[in-house]
Amino acid sequence: MREDNCIFCKIANGDIPSKALYEDNEFKVILDLGPATKGHALILPKNHYANIYDLPDEAASKAMLLAKKMTIHMTDKLGCDGFNLVQNNGKAAGQTVFHFHLHLIPRYNDDGQTLGWKPLEPTQEELEEIKKVITE
Ligand code: AMP
Ligand code: ZN
């Protein structure tokens, strides 16, 4: 299940070289070419799914288990101080490559990066309203 002209399909299946950290039948983990920090990596399924909306349950489960293993292993090897798992879906959310990928971002006390947002200040009524939209 590959898509023509998808760079992550080509990388995950070995048609384009990458700095691979791990590989099995279903996934490849590579170093990001534009890393946020030292060791920033990407988990790529070998099958093409545009993002989480298309990702089958089994692949989602396996990706998260692999993320956990990689986080523990990389923290041990890199001696980082924390770890962000980031996963963007859709242009509005910052997705730029439309082949599902999970960012593994080692964090260091002095890395100077900020992955964050400006908190809104919703009223109790606004929180209640959005809760209703989601749950009803
Ligand atoms: P996103 O914004 O979540 O879609 O993330 C795309 C990520 O892919 C960015 O962090 C890029 O630096 C990274 N990237 C793009 N092309 C390549 C490539 N050929 N090899 C490794 N990483 C890449
Ligand atoms: Zn693809």
Side-chain angles (χ1 to χ4, degrees):
M1 255 177 57
R2 296 196 206 178
E3 185 149 300
D4 291 346
N5 301 321
C6 171
I7 186 152
F8 282 0
C9 277
K10 293 189 172 109
I11 291 173
N13 292 283
D15 300 335
I16 292 179
S18 61
K19 300 285 184 213
L21 306 179
Y22 171 85
E23 182 168 9
D24 62 27
N25 287 338
E26 291 164 85
F27 293 94
K28 189 176 264 193
V29 183
I30 63 163
L31 286 179
D32 194 304
L33 279 187
T37 64
K38 216 181 275 183
H40 180 168
L42 302 170
I43 294 181
L44 310 178
K46 290 187 175 179
N47 284 333
H48 181 89
Y49 311 111
N51 51 37
I52 201 162
Y53 298 111
D54 291 349
L55 191 68
D57 288 355
E58 200 185 334
S61 307
K62 287 181 175 170
M64 188 49 80
L65 271 179
L66 180 54
K68 180 184 165 184
K69 284 184 185 156
M70 290 301 301
T71 297
I72 292 167
H73 178 76
M74 290 169 72
T75 299
D76 181 41
K77 293 287 185 180
L78 295 167
C80 56
D81 303 301
F83 225 95
N84 290 118
L85 301 185
V86 176
Q87 204 276 303
N88 301 323
N89 299 284
K91 199 171 163 216
Q95 185 175 12
T96 58
V97 180
F98 287 80
H99 174 125
F100 176 91
H101 52 281
L102 182 50
H103 294 261
L104 304 172
I105 308 179
R107 298 304 303 272
Y108 307 88
N109 288 331
D110 58 354
D111 64 31
Q113 290 286 13
T114 49
L115 305 179
W117 55 87
K118 186 165 79 60
L120 305 174
E121 294 178 353
T123 61
Q124 282 302 313
E125 290 72 26
E126 286 167 333
L127 289 174
E128 190 57 35
E129 199 176 313
I130 197 65
K131 179 188 149 186
K132 277 193 185 145
V133 169
I134 296 167
T135 59
E136 287 180 4

